[in-house]
């Protein structure tokens, strides 16, 4: 199997938000005549925005024959296919006409939840297919919830 990388579906949006907030913070820092706490708040805004935005821009999952690796701003964690005890799959309507899919992988060391709110729905379908192909026990199937 060729490794497949799953990235945050909205990473361009998060990049835009980071640029907008950073621009506002830099503008506030460059203006004169503000109290010291406003400069401190602008500097803190820059740091928090870089950490928040960086976490979404760097977030990615790599699916290969060995298992699934999650790369974040704070490091990489891996779950081997053999270590996954169960998988939970669900589909629900989050708003009228908007469907959400999620896959939760449970192992003794780590639980990963991958949802279509963050990843592309096709990537969630791909992962569901891998779970089926590898015969991992599934607690719930994709189903439409009653309203």
């Amino acid at each position: 199997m060729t490794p497949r990388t799953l990235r945050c579906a909205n990473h361009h949006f998060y990049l835009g938000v980071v640029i907008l907030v950073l621009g506002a913070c830099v503008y506030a820092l460059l203006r004169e005549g503000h109290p010291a706490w406003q400069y401190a708040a602008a500097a803190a805004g820059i740091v928090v925005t870089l950490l928040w935005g960086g976490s979404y821009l760097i977030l990615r999952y790599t699916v290969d024959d060995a298992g699934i690796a999650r790369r974040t701003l704070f490091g990489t964690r891996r779950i081997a296919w053999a270590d996954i005890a169960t998988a939970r799959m669900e589909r629900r309507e989050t708003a009228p006409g908007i469907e959400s899919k999620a896959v939760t992988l449970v192992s003794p060391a780590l639980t990963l939840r991958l949802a279509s709110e963050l990843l592309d729905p096709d990537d969630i379908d791909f992962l569901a297919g891998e779970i089926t192909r590898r015969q991992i026990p599934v607690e719930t199937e994709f189903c439409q919830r009653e309203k």
Side-chain angles (χ1 to χ4, degrees), residues 5-146:
T5 300
L6 316 179
R7 289 189 51 122
C8 178
N10 299 321
H11 67 276
H12 293 100
F13 167 75
Y14 293 112
L15 179 60
V17 171
V18 166
I19 291 169
L20 181 67
V21 173
L22 287 178
C25 291
V26 168
Y27 175 76
L29 283 175
L30 294 177
R31 295 200 41 160
E32 295 180 14
H34 289 294
W37 69 268
Q38 287 183 351
Y39 291 112
I46 290 173
V47 171
V48 169
T49 301
L50 288 174
L51 289 174
W52 173 80
S55 66
Y56 285 104
L57 294 173
I58 291 175
L59 175 68
R60 71 189 60 186
Y61 296 88
T62 303
V63 181
D64 56 22
D65 285 330
I68 300 174
R70 178 182 66 187
R71 179 179 169 216
T72 66
L73 191 62
F74 306 105
T76 302
R77 300 282 310 262
R78 176 172 278 285
I79 297 180
W81 290 114
D83 293 340
I84 298 174
T86 60
R88 288 190 299 269
M89 295 190 269
E90 69 179 61
R91 181 184 320 188
R92 58 190 161 91
E93 191 172 46
T94 55
I98 299 175
E99 185 177 80
S100 170
K101 300 176 183 179
V103 173
T104 305
L105 304 172
V106 181
S107 77
L110 183 65
T111 298
L112 283 180
R113 183 174 190 278
L114 297 95
S116 60
E117 288 91 0
L118 189 62
L119 300 172
D120 190 290
D122 292 338
D123 290 338
I124 302 298
D125 292 338
F126 165 76
L127 191 57
E130 281 298 304
I131 289 167
T132 302
R133 188 172 75 83
R134 296 176 187 281
Q135 300 178 343
I136 295 171
V138 176
E139 289 183 359
T140 56
E141 292 288 336
F142 284 137
C143 61
Q144 185 68 34
R145 293 197 177 177
E146 296 294 325

